[in-house]
Amino acid sequence: MITIKAAVGGIVYDKKSPGLMHLSLLNNIGFKQVFDYIYFAMTGRLRESKQITTFQAHEITIRGLEDQKITTRIDGDKGPNLPLTITYLPEYLPLLVKR
């Protein structure tokens, strides 16, 4: 999960590093970890979980381990294929103007 805010769903999970992307990686995804993930997400204690790795970055590149087609999901919708480079531009706001 990549966010640009310190809160998800109104739950604050990171008060540090304004102006950076907040990344959360779920480690060893399996059925028995689902309840741990839900608990830490609902309480905002992501940094306390040993099963969730969190860090901040200004720019990241995501690629698969092998040369296979991997499609990203952005807000639940189909996104571009990997590899993908994401740069956080805090002062950038695109505007679409109808002519």
Side-chain angles (χ1 to χ4, degrees):
M1 174 177 71
I2 302 171
T3 63
I4 57 171
K5 298 202 177 225
V8 174
I11 299 171
V12 176
Y13 69 94
D14 189 358
K15 296 178 183 177
K16 303 175 186 176
S17 307
L20 294 173
M21 293 181 285
H22 303 275
L23 294 94
S24 300
L25 303 173
L26 305 179
N27 304 324
N28 301 320
I29 297 174
F31 182 74
K32 67 180 187 175
Q33 286 85 16
V34 170
F35 297 109
D36 290 337
Y37 294 144
I38 292 171
Y39 169 76
F40 285 110
M42 297 304 293
T43 62
R45 297 176 162 178
L46 288 177
R47 291 195 179 275
E48 295 176 22
S49 172
K50 293 179 181 170
Q51 298 173 345
I52 301 172
T53 302
T54 62
F55 58 96
Q56 295 80 33
H58 174 71
E59 179 175 283
I60 60 168
T61 299
I62 305 168
R63 56 178 66 87
L65 293 177
E66 298 184 15
D67 194 24
Q68 60 184 3
K69 181 179 176 181
I70 300 174
T71 304
T72 62
R73 306 291 287 172
I74 300 173
D75 284 340
D77 296 324
K78 183 179 176 182
N81 293 332
L82 295 183
L84 180 66
T85 298
I86 303 170
T87 304
Y88 180 51
L89 304 171
E91 302 292 324
Y92 182 76
L93 177 65
L95 296 176
L96 302 175
V97 180
K98 185 177 179 181
R99 290 184 184 209

